[in-house]
Amino acid sequence: MREKLKNVPQKPGVYLFKDENAKIIYVGKAKVLRNRMRSYFQSSENLAPKVQALVSRVADFDFVVTESELEALLLENNLIKAYQPKYNILLRDDKTYPHLKVSIAEKYPRLTIVRGEKDGKSKYYGPYTETGTLRETVRYINNVFKLRTCKNMQRQKRACIYKDIGLCMAPCSGQVSQEEYYGKILEVIKILEGDHKELIQKKEIEMKEASAKMEFEQAARLRDEINYLDKIRVNQQISTQSNHYMDIIALSLGKKHHLALLFKIRKGNMVGKETIWLSGIIAESVGDYIGSFIQQFYDNNTDIPKEILLAELPNDSQLLAEWLKNQAGHKVDILVPQRGEKKKLMQMVQKNADLLIEEFLNDSSRNQQLLIKLSQYLDLEVVPQRMECYDISHLGSTETVAAMVVFNEGLPDKSSYRRFKISKDQNNDYAALVETLQRRFREARKGNEAFLPEPDLIVIDGGIGQLNSVNVALKEMEVSIPIISLAKKEELIFRPQTSQPLRLDRRDECLMLLQRLRDETHRFAITYNRKRRDQKTRNSALDDISGIGQSRKKELLKHFGSVAKIKDASLDDLLTVKGINESVAMEIIKYFSHKQEN
């Protein structure tokens, strides 16, 4: 390594460390590449234990020279997202966090909760992690502003039921002008940015005027809208004396688990609180964690404030400030408050972060004690940190599927859940389970990361028959992982090495943990089976109708939402669908009438 390092230039850039399989395990940036990379391969006494663990796995490296430190920062962030290296600090499951989307590019915009990529046209607020409060806020906003909720708005002679019950302005039937509707959207944007005061005052004046005119129904409606706006303000929780527009970020670091807590302050009001767990282990200082968090959280984020308050400055804070300015289109100050209201807010957020991680560690400790107790019950050599449960679902031997659910440290790990379509539809759970486990471990042995790591304990939803068939198959594959099955009704635990089942007290926490794992697997399997059956029904029913191709099928389903509604549609209803003429509509009616007669 030291010899190869002699060829590394003394210029800014990004370096990539690889393991013996040429897999990228760490990405870093440097002002001077050769100096930074050499620091890893000096005497191990000068390295932190976590860095030693990384270096011991480095078999090769690569590097990319850049023109500037800022360019290196951008490239590092892109490579970390692309490769998800094992030893980099990562926002755990950051792509799954929801955003609030206001589709301002549409003629009549709507408010939705979305995940994943942004379209570059709409306004986005978030990401948010507390989805319950988020959905409640969306419901309150729609109750006040009566925005459309339909995904694909089409011109209608008569508005849908949402207009009848007072929850939509019905732009589809021309009952509101584009200008008036867009005015409501601008008010929604104000609310999302924390500006409630002016709108509440305006509605209070309107309510008093309506009451004075004895328009009591209108006054009552305005009163309800004010109450909804107050609830949104309560959800946003904190108000400050000044008109601040900033994010406050506190980090709390544990031995294994690390937490970032972010409060969003907009126009003096807290409009969001994000709790984000960090994974990855290579960080030489708190500044490393803070810098990595800022890079990943604000990348492609359209809601970047003017100030970011921290308890400690990140490494390369000036470089990050320059990057944030390019991202946001305005200057962003990264500050450590020293006095006054900002320092008090920073201390409050830090205290909350410390309490959250303490609560998590206490829960984690309780889970560990529970898993140790379970390992004693089952006479396991290893405490089962990762448990995998399997279940089969089918209906009358059709659409046979399997589900794999993973619990890590006693908690669901949804990103590791997997679904299997069994190769042959059959009413044979034994064969389906065998096929599932064989496919799972074949993929693991090929190095497929979607099936790594392997579990410490396998749980089968079923009795002794299912257990024995799977156990034989695993032995043939030379898989030596402990396996049990949990039978319903009597909740008996079967093990291959014992003739008698294990019966735990119904209130035993270990049994309850296994039941949660089993029930979650059952739910996941049934959901997948239903999804496949619905898709099959939807496809086959419409595909059999003369004159219905892919385009018309898509329009029908878009308009009606389901085959059942298409079946009940009248001729006039069918003719409102794009691409459906009278002859095709008659074919649809004739087809479903014939099916009903048979």
Side-chain angles (χ1 to χ4, degrees):
M1 285 294 178
R2 293 192 185 99
E3 285 300 313
K4 191 174 178 180
L5 281 166
K6 292 178 181 178
N7 298 320
V8 177
Q10 291 184 309
K11 291 185 177 182
V14 173
Y15 54 93
L16 304 92
F17 287 154
K18 303 178 181 180
D19 64 13
E20 59 185 7
N21 298 315
K23 180 182 176 183
I24 294 170
I25 57 174
Y26 186 71
V27 175
K29 67 179 183 301
K31 185 176 182 179
V32 181
L33 275 170
R34 188 192 300 172
N35 295 348
R36 180 69 182 111
M37 294 173 72
R38 269 183 172 172
S39 69
Y40 288 98
F41 302 101
Q42 305 302 319
S43 172
S44 61
E45 295 176 1
N46 299 325
L47 300 176
K50 292 179 180 180
V51 181
Q52 289 181 32
L54 164 66
V55 173
S56 68
R57 289 168 172 78
V58 177
D60 196 5
F61 64 77
D62 200 353
F63 60 87
V64 180
V65 175
T66 60
E67 292 296 324
S68 66
E69 286 184 79
L70 180 59
E71 191 178 326
L73 181 81
L74 292 168
L75 180 58
E76 178 199 34
N77 198 33
N78 289 335
L79 291 174
I80 288 173
K81 286 195 299 181
Y83 291 108
Q84 297 282 298
K86 179 178 180 180
Y87 290 99
N88 278 97
I89 299 161
L90 304 170
L91 273 64
R92 191 180 301 171
D93 295 329
D94 61 307
K95 291 181 181 177
T96 69
Y97 294 147
H99 288 71
L100 266 183
K101 172 184 172 182
V102 184
S103 56
I104 55 174
E106 295 182 328
K107 188 175 180 180
Y108 294 98
R110 66 191 188 113
L111 184 67
T112 52
I113 298 172
V114 298
R115 299 174 189 265
E117 297 296 324
K118 301 177 179 62
D119 59 21
K121 303 174 185 177
S122 305
K123 286 185 74 71
Y124 291 84
Y125 297 89
Y128 297 91
T129 54
E130 299 182 3
T131 54
T133 302
L134 174 60
R135 292 183 186 282
E136 191 175 63
T137 298
V138 171
R139 182 165 62 86
Y140 292 152
I141 288 174
N142 283 330
N143 281 333
V144 173
F145 296 100
K146 325 297 183 194
L147 304 180
R148 74 177 181 90
T149 55
C150 51
K151 187 175 180 180
N152 298 295
M153 193 187 83
Q154 295 184 348
R155 196 72 178 175
Q156 305 283 350
K157 291 181 181 179
R158 186 183 184 283
C160 70
I161 193 171
Y162 283 95
K163 172 63 179 175
D164 297 335
I165 60 177
L167 288 178
C168 183
M169 290 184 283
C172 61
S173 57
Q175 297 188 41
V176 60
S177 69
Q178 186 179 357
E179 292 75 17
E180 183 183 351
Y181 189 96
Y182 210 84
K184 297 291 184 183
I185 288 294
L186 293 178
E187 289 183 337
V188 169
I189 290 171
K190 279 188 174 183
I191 291 292
L192 293 175
E193 293 178 353
D195 191 1
H196 315 84
K197 189 174 180 181
E198 183 181 334
L199 184 59
I200 290 176
Q201 287 176 346
K202 176 185 171 185
K203 288 191 176 290
E204 284 175 343
I205 292 169
E206 290 176 358
M207 181 179 69
K208 289 176 183 176
E209 289 176 350
S211 182
K213 294 176 183 177
M214 295 188 180
E215 296 173 353
F216 299 120
E217 188 175 331
Q218 171 73 355
R221 183 181 62 79
L222 288 163
R223 177 204 62 204
D224 292 341
E225 290 180 2
I226 291 167
N227 289 337
Y228 283 129
L229 290 170
D230 278 332
K231 287 175 181 176
I232 295 170
R233 185 166 56 181
V234 168
N235 281 349
Q236 295 176 333
Q237 295 175 355
I238 292 174
S239 295
T240 64
Q241 295 179 355
S242 304
N243 201 28
H244 295 306
Y245 184 56
M246 63 190 182
D247 285 350
I248 310 171
I249 302 171
L251 263 68
S252 192
L253 306 179
K255 290 181 179 180
K256 289 184 178 180
H257 305 281
H258 316 300
L259 169 75
L261 182 63
L262 183 146
F263 280 20
K264 289 174 175 285
I265 309 293
R266 301 293 183 267
K267 296 190 177 180
N269 297 307
M270 190 178 93
V271 299
K273 177 170 77 83
E274 310 307 321
T275 305
I276 301 164
W277 294 95
L278 308 177
S279 61
I281 64 170
I282 298 301
E284 298 178 32
S285 67
V286 175
D288 278 341
Y289 277 106
I290 295 172
S292 294
F293 173 80
I294 287 174
Q295 278 181 258
Q296 293 181 62
F297 186 82
Y298 291 109
D299 187 34
N300 295 323
N301 194 330
T302 58
D303 185 20
I304 302 178
K306 296 176 181 177
E307 291 183 331
I308 297 174
L309 302 190
L310 303 163
E312 184 175 326
L313 282 177
N315 298 339
D316 302 320
S317 58
Q318 291 183 343
L319 189 63
L320 278 171
E322 186 181 351
W323 174 76
L324 285 166
K325 182 180 178 181
N326 291 339
Q327 292 285 103
H330 59 74
K331 183 182 178 185
V332 180
D333 293 321
I334 301 175
L335 305 171
V336 176
Q338 302 297 320
R339 63 182 68 86
E341 184 183 38
K342 289 182 179 178
K343 184 173 183 180
K344 288 180 180 178
L345 286 169
M346 184 72 248
Q347 290 172 335
M348 179 194 69
V349 178
Q350 186 66 58
K351 183 178 180 181
N352 275 270
D354 293 340
L355 287 170
L356 280 171
I357 202 164
E358 182 181 346
E359 180 183 350
F360 173 83
L361 293 175
N362 287 337
D363 289 343
S364 180
S365 177
R366 284 195 294 271
N367 278 346
Q368 283 302 312
Q369 294 302 315
L370 189 59
L371 292 170
I372 290 170
K373 186 178 177 183
L374 179 62
S375 70
Q376 292 169 346
Y377 278 148
L378 301 177
D379 196 23
L380 303 176
E381 294 181 2
V382 176
V383 177
Q385 303 295 342
R386 179 183 171 104
M387 298 190 294
E388 293 180 2
C389 186
Y390 296 84
D391 189 20
I392 305 299
S393 181
H394 56 80
L395 183 67
S397 304
T398 61
E399 294 300 330
T400 306
V401 299
M404 166 184 139
V405 163
V406 179
F407 273 26
N408 266 322
E409 297 181 0
L411 297 171
D413 180 5
K414 293 193 175 183
S415 64
S416 296
Y417 288 15
R418 299 289 177 265
R419 305 182 304 191
F420 303 81
K421 174 66 180 80
I422 302 305
S423 59
K424 181 180 178 183
D425 282 335
Q426 55 187 327
N427 190 13
N428 187 336
D429 288 2
Y430 297 179
L433 281 167
V434 167
E435 178 184 331
T436 302
L437 272 294
Q438 286 174 337
R439 286 165 59 183
R440 185 256 181 273
F441 284 102
R442 281 197 203 105
E443 290 301 314
R445 290 176 177 181
K446 289 178 186 175
N448 186 342
E449 291 191 358
F451 293 92
L452 293 173
E454 294 184 353
D456 302 312
L457 177 67
I458 297 169
V459 181
I460 302 297
D461 183 0
I464 190 66
Q466 286 91 338
L467 177 69
N468 287 338
S469 60
V470 171
N471 189 47
V472 169
L474 292 180
K475 282 183 177 179
E476 290 174 354
M477 295 185 72
E478 297 182 352
V479 174
S480 56
I481 296 173
I483 179 171
I484 64 170
S485 68
L486 181 62
K488 293 185 181 70
K489 292 185 179 179
E490 294 188 39
E491 303 293 8
L492 299 176
I493 299 171
F494 293 94
R495 296 166 290 173
Q497 67 271 26
T498 58
S499 58
Q500 294 299 317
L502 176 65
R503 186 191 297 270
L504 299 179
D505 188 281
R506 290 284 182 144
R507 292 168 293 181
D508 190 290
E509 290 185 340
C510 290
L511 177 61
M512 291 179 182
L513 173 62
L514 292 175
Q515 287 171 327
R516 286 196 298 274
L517 174 60
R518 187 267 316 279
D519 293 346
E520 173 68 352
T521 312
H522 187 64
R523 178 201 66 79
F524 193 52
I526 285 178
T527 301
Y528 184 39
N529 175 257
R530 285 175 179 163
K531 181 180 178 181
R532 289 194 62 88
R533 283 191 283 116
D534 289 346
Q535 187 66 40
K536 185 177 180 180
T537 301
R538 175 184 294 179
N539 291 344
S540 61
L542 297 180
D543 288 344
D544 289 343
I545 301 175
S546 175
I548 301 294
Q550 288 300 317
S551 179
R552 282 173 171 164
K553 181 169 68 172
K554 183 178 178 181
E555 291 297 332
L556 283 164
L557 290 170
K558 185 194 298 184
H559 185 89
F560 291 104
S562 69
V563 172
K565 290 183 179 179
I566 297 171
K567 177 184 174 183
D568 295 335
S570 66
L571 177 63
D572 289 340
D573 291 336
L574 291 169
L575 290 174
T576 62
V577 180
K578 180 182 176 182
I580 302 298
N581 55 35
E582 188 169 346
S583 63
V584 174
M586 289 304 298
E587 285 292 334
I588 295 170
I589 293 170
K590 186 166 68 174
Y591 173 83
F592 284 115
S593 298
H594 179 69
K595 292 279 284 185
Q596 193 168 8
E597 288 171 6
N598 291 340

